[in-house]
Each structure stands twice: as structure tokens, then as C-alpha cells.
Amino acid sequence: MPQHTEFIPPAGGIADCPLCQTAGGEIVWSNALARVVLVDDPAQPGYTRVVLHAHHAEMTDLPAAQRTALMALVWRVERVLRDVLQPDKVNLAALGNMVPHVHWHIIPRWRDDPAFPDAIWAPARREPASDEARLGALGRYREALAAALDAGAAPA
Amino acid sequence: MPQHTEFIPPAGGIADCPLCQTAGGEIVWSNALARVVLVDDPAQPGYTRVVLHAHHAEMTDLPAAQRTALMALVWRVERVLRDVLQPDKVNLAALGNMVPHVHWHIIPRWRDDPAFPDAIWAPARREPASDEARLGALGRYREALAAALDAGAAPA
């Protein structure tokens, strides 16, 4: 679906905002509101972000309908991530201290990942696991994610 | 509103889950679904959590209506937190690696807080600010939060 995966800088973007000027990861899917991107992080294979196209700093800067639509994407990502990658836990976060442009982190966590059970932003306790099965599932995850988002079905 | 602020362990709670057995902070408000608690953290005055009463690990374990209702509480907290405390940024997170019982962190961030611009779980770069005005606003925040949640108005 190449029409879904090309980054087009949004009109009215901020010149020095990385998420106005770049995709912020490999685009798996996008619609008029937001894009879903894969983050290349070997420590957390499957790390995904939902990035609002428009430049707003906080969720409460958005109209309620946009908040709801954005979170519906987050839940769909979480559902597919759990189904395909079967992490021990999912972490969700919208921080934006460095890039104050609304984006959600959907992070699969495993008991043997570097910082577990701390947040991934805490110091690592161990080296990244080299789990071939986990890395090998990434292709299936990308496909399932695009398919689920195309289908538009919200998790029950 | 004492009827709102007493912790009653939920039926079906898990014996070794801290959020099934304790409030997880000072309860400001609660309803049938969740409680809103203040976290006593001098580094991040106003740090608030929205804690689901029932024991579920992930947002996608909840029915859609409960997800929506829970996030509506998060947005209300964020709105009041911004209005009263005027932080430089708000951080939202649902991690649960140590306590896999759905709870949302709503964290006011200031440029001079210990870990800024990193996540609060990253190593501190500086001592907590001793900002009397910020600490002094906490009483107003608690009152405004309870009033806004009682009113039930979603942020526009």
C-alpha cells in the first residue's frame, strides 16, 4: 500500500519540529489524522508509534473526536502487537518533552528486555535479548498491523 | 466529599496486587470504574494517577466502553492539571511492568524538574526545584480536580 506509507509534510508544520518534518519511523499505515510508524529499536522489536499529523503539544489541545480517533488507533496497534508478538506487557506513553508534538509510544516489553521492569527510559539492567523468533515475527507484525488498520475494526 | 475518598478493596481483587489492596495514593475522587489519586512526589507536584478498580493488565483487556470512560477521566485530569498548575508539558503513561493493573500516570513536567526533558523514570539531571508557588497550588489543584470530576464535563 504505497499510498499509505509515504511521508508528506503536513501543511502548517513547524520548521524545527522533527515530527512535522519527518515521518518519525517507518510508516506502516496512515490516514487523514495520524500515521502509524515502526521504530527501529533492536532492544524493543515491535516498538510502534502513533503520530498525529498536525502539530499540537497535548491531548487536551485536540477536539474530543480527534482524541477518540487517535486512541482508537492506539488500541488497534496494542491489540495486534499483543496478538502477534505476545509481549509480557505493553507500555503506552505520550511524553513529548523533547518533541512536543502529540505522538503515542506503544512498546512491547519482555521480562528479559534491557530495562524491564523499569520504563524503557530508565538505565538498562542487561543487554538486549537476541531472540530470533521475536525478531522474526516483525514481518508478520507489520503485515497484520496494516491489515487491521485497513479493516478499521476496533478491538472489542 | 468523604464518600468519594475512602478506599474499598474491589471484590475479586488479587491478593498480591498493590492496586487491588491499596488506593495507590490519596484518593481525590472515584466512581464505579476508577479512582483518581494524588501521588506524593515532591519532584513532580501534582503527579496524579487514574487507577482502574478492577484487576486487568492491559487497556485492550477492557471493553471499549470502559476504555473510553477511563480515558475521559485522564483527559479531565490533564485539563485541570494544565489549567491550575500550568506545567511546561504533561506526560501520560500506562506502563504496569511492576504492577500489571491498569493505571494511568498524568505527570506535570517543568523544564527545571529533575529529569526533564527525559522521562521521569530516567536518571535525574538536577535536584527537585523548590518552587513555593508550584507547591502552594496543590490545594487549589485538588479542589478543582474534585469539582471538575464531580461536574463530569469532558474537555471540549
Side-chain angles (χ1 to χ4, degrees):
Chain A
M1 287 155 289
Q3 75 277 19
H4 281 161
T5 57
E6 186 187 352
F7 179 67
I8 299 163
I14 306 296
D16 65 355
C17 172
L19 290 178
C20 286
Q21 301 302 328
T22 66
E26 176 201 340
I27 300 180
V28 173
W29 187 88
S30 88
N31 67 3
L33 179 70
R35 56 194 182 269
V36 176
V37 308
L38 288 182
V39 179
D40 182 16
D41 180 349
Q44 313 293 151
Y47 186 160
T48 307
R49 291 194 186 111
V50 173
V51 183
L52 187 74
H53 293 316
H55 187 86
H56 294 290
E58 306 287 5
M59 285 298 286
T60 48
D61 289 331
L62 306 183
Q66 287 192 15
R67 277 200 298 271
T68 302
L70 197 67
M71 296 316 293
L73 292 178
V74 172
W75 313 141
R76 283 172 210 166
V77 170
E78 178 181 296
R79 186 69 263 168
V80 176
L81 191 153
R82 293 180 68 190
D83 288 347
V84 178
L85 300 181
Q86 301 183 20
D88 295 315
K89 189 70 191 70
V90 178
N91 288 180
L92 304 176
L95 307 181
N97 304 318
M98 298 195 197
V99 180
H101 174 133
V102 168
H103 59 285
W104 280 89
H105 304 273
I106 300 104
I107 311 163
R109 301 300 308 273
W110 284 273
R111 291 192 185 89
D112 62 358
D113 76 31
F116 198 91
D118 296 318
I120 64 160
W121 301 283
R125 298 165 178 250
R126 61 189 78 83
E127 294 296 310
S130 165
D131 184 319
E132 292 302 319
R134 208 176 284 171
L135 292 167
L138 279 181
R140 279 193 292 126
Y141 172 60
R142 185 190 287 102
E143 282 177 27
L145 192 53
L149 291 162
D150 273 341
Chain B
M1 285 153 291
Q3 75 278 18
H4 282 160
T5 56
E6 187 187 351
F7 179 67
I8 300 163
I14 305 295
D16 66 354
C17 172
L19 290 178
C20 286
Q21 301 302 328
T22 67
E26 176 200 340
I27 300 180
V28 173
W29 187 88
S30 87
N31 67 4
L33 179 70
R35 56 195 181 267
V36 176
V37 307
L38 287 181
V39 179
D40 182 16
D41 181 348
Q44 314 293 150
Y47 185 160
T48 307
R49 291 193 186 110
V50 173
V51 183
L52 187 74
H53 293 315
H55 187 85
H56 294 289
E58 307 286 5
M59 286 297 287
T60 47
D61 289 332
L62 306 183
Q66 288 193 14
R67 276 200 298 271
T68 301
L70 197 67
M71 296 316 292
L73 293 178
V74 172
W75 313 140
R76 283 173 210 165
V77 170
E78 178 180 296
R79 186 68 262 167
V80 176
L81 191 154
R82 293 180 67 190
D83 289 347
V84 178
L85 301 181
Q86 300 183 20
D88 296 315
K89 189 71 191 69
V90 177
N91 288 179
L92 304 175
L95 308 180
N97 304 319
M98 297 194 198
V99 180
H101 174 134
V102 168
H103 59 287
W104 281 89
H105 304 273
I106 300 104
I107 311 164
R109 300 300 308 273
W110 284 273
R111 291 191 186 88
D112 62 359
D113 77 31
F116 198 90
D118 295 318
I120 64 161
W121 301 282
R125 298 163 177 252
R126 61 189 78 85
E127 294 295 311
S130 165
D131 183 319
E132 292 301 321
R134 209 175 284 168
L135 292 167
L138 279 182
R140 279 194 292 126
Y141 173 60
R142 185 190 287 102
E143 283 177 26
L145 192 54
L149 291 161
D150 273 340

